[in-house]
Amino acid sequence: MALANADAMHLMEVAAEGDHYRLAFDKPGTWSQKYNLVWDRILGLNVFPPSVAQREIAHYKRMMLRYGVPLDSRTRLTKTDWSFWIATLAEDRSDFEAMISPTCDYLNATSARDPIADSYVTDDIRRGGMHARPVVGGFFIKMLSDRAVWEKWASRDQLKPANWAPLPAPLKISMVVPTEQTWRYTTQDPGNNWTETGFDATGWKEGRAGFGTSPPGFVQHTQWITHDIWLRREITVPEGAHPDLQFIAYHDEDVAIHVNGIPAAQEGGFTTNYVPLEISRVARAAMKPGSKILVAVHFHQTEGGQGIDVGLADVTE
């Protein structure tokens, strides 16, 4: 997931072109439907911030022809199922309907006597396209984005399929050092050695986590609106055996954690809830039961809402 988040940030940087993202990194003046972005939302992966979809939807509305949004800047051809996918990225119903209404208009107006087409030319009602293919199941993707609707219809399935691999059970998370605690913090670059135990941070402010604004799934106690923040806090490693000890963090966006100056965990991108972060082997070796350790955290934010908080928990499958 860390690699996916890093790649997403790279794409946003090199493909950005004002009000949209390019078809190819090195092709200025191009654009394309980002239809697979819908799975980031449906599966709750949150690899891309919501602002990416918002920007793309606004651009599609400007690029739309009479009977739909073309696949990209090279063609007037569209794919009906993928048009429904980009429509599902819309955050309000009016934008969703603006995306799919031209498809309905085409189906009503076309003189092609084919079954419902999954591809057609967006400014030519006389031409048909690929049709009678199972990809038209993609028309129903909006249902997957609404859990209540999905569960209503899925519950009617009375089939009992067998021999499928079981779904993984959710992680069991038992907090041992709670979140929403008091940290020393600064929003000014502290320079070198700030992660070390001997660093003098007495001039830093004190505040209770979470720090940030109010993104989804987050409780703000201390406002933080700059691009960067540095945190330090001394904690006591719990007594006893904790073979599955991990950091629990809410991070929007990039987080890097040190223990006694040792790199311990790092992850890019953003989350919409608290997630476990594995502790590096070297840092874990320094975390003896009952010992006091310094946890130093750096967060970096680029755009949108922001929030940060860190604790420790036993995390088991």
Side-chain angles (χ1 to χ4, degrees):
M1 184 58 74
L3 180 59
N5 287 328
D7 285 346
M9 295 302 107
H10 176 67
L11 183 148
M12 291 172 61
E13 177 182 351
V14 299
E17 184 152 306
D19 61 355
H20 69 281
Y21 296 92
R22 298 173 180 170
L23 168 65
F25 296 162
D26 60 342
K27 300 294 184 183
T30 62
W31 62 274
S32 64
Q33 287 191 19
K34 307 300 189 295
Y35 44 84
N36 279 322
L37 191 60
V38 72
W39 296 110
D40 190 39
R41 172 173 294 183
I42 288 174
L43 298 177
L45 301 177
N46 301 314
V47 174
F48 288 90
S51 60
V52 173
Q54 294 166 7
R55 186 176 300 177
E56 287 291 300
I57 285 292
H59 187 69
Y60 300 152
K61 291 170 69 176
R62 290 189 289 273
M63 296 297 103
M64 185 180 295
L65 298 180
R66 177 65 181 88
Y67 295 109
V69 181
L71 283 175
D72 55 53
S73 52
R74 303 168 300 177
T75 182
R76 292 170 296 148
L77 182 77
T78 195
K79 283 284 276 98
T80 320
D81 50 332
W82 290 344
S83 293
F84 276 62
W85 293 19
I86 62 171
T88 302
L89 295 173
E91 294 188 352
D92 61 71
R93 188 169 183 84
S94 63
D95 282 344
F96 173 77
E97 292 179 351
M99 292 290 104
I100 65 171
S101 292
T103 297
C104 298
D105 292 342
Y106 167 80
L107 295 173
N108 285 328
T110 183
S111 57
R113 308 312 301 161
D114 302 327
I116 189 168
D118 64 271
S119 74
Y120 61 90
V121 179
T122 51
D123 60 355
D124 187 351
I125 60 172
R126 296 182 300 277
R127 294 174 57 182
M130 293 183 287
H131 56 271
R133 300 198 306 163
V135 296
V136 296
F139 292 5
F140 298 96
I141 196 166
K142 178 67 172 175
M143 180 180 68
L144 297 181
S145 69
D146 187 322
R147 187 174 184 86
V149 173
W150 179 86
E151 289 183 340
K152 171 186 174 181
W153 294 101
S155 65
R156 297 188 178 191
D157 182 8
Q158 301 301 313
L159 295 177
K160 303 295 181 183
N163 300 321
W164 293 93
L167 292 173
L171 295 174
K172 181 181 179 181
I173 298 177
S174 301
M175 298 298 297
V176 294
V177 175
T179 55
E180 299 186 46
Q181 300 301 303
T182 298
W183 296 72
R184 288 191 177 273
Y185 73 96
T186 181
T187 56
Q188 303 296 318
D189 190 341
N192 297 327
N193 304 320
W194 70 276
T195 65
E196 304 289 341
T197 55
F199 182 84
D200 184 8
T202 54
W204 291 18
K205 298 178 181 179
E206 287 192 350
R208 183 185 175 193
F211 296 83
T213 54
S214 296
F218 182 72
V219 177
Q220 173 198 324
H221 291 292
T222 303
Q223 186 180 52
W224 162 53
I225 57 174
T226 61
H227 283 299
D228 292 270
I229 189 170
W230 292 262
L231 310 176
R232 286 169 54 99
R233 179 173 174 240
E234 189 178 76
I235 66 173
T236 300
V237 179
E239 295 283 0
H242 294 275
D244 303 302
L245 193 66
Q246 297 186 35
F247 287 111
I248 296 295
Y250 187 109
H251 62 92
D252 185 353
E253 296 172 9
D254 304 341
V255 58
I257 305 174
H258 288 71
V259 170
N260 294 344
I262 303 168
Q266 183 172 347
E267 187 164 89
F270 73 100
T271 62
T272 55
N273 52 23
Y274 285 78
V275 297
L277 300 177
E278 292 188 11
I279 303 172
S280 70
R281 179 181 56 81
V282 179
R284 186 69 182 88
M287 300 170 67
K288 306 296 184 183
S291 65
K292 289 187 176 181
I293 61 171
L294 174 74
V295 179
V297 186
H298 174 224
F299 286 87
H300 175 70
Q301 165 69 11
T302 60
E303 61 179 353
Q306 56 198 81
I308 55 170
D309 195 4
V310 174
L312 278 173
D314 286 321
V315 181
T316 55
E317 293 185 359

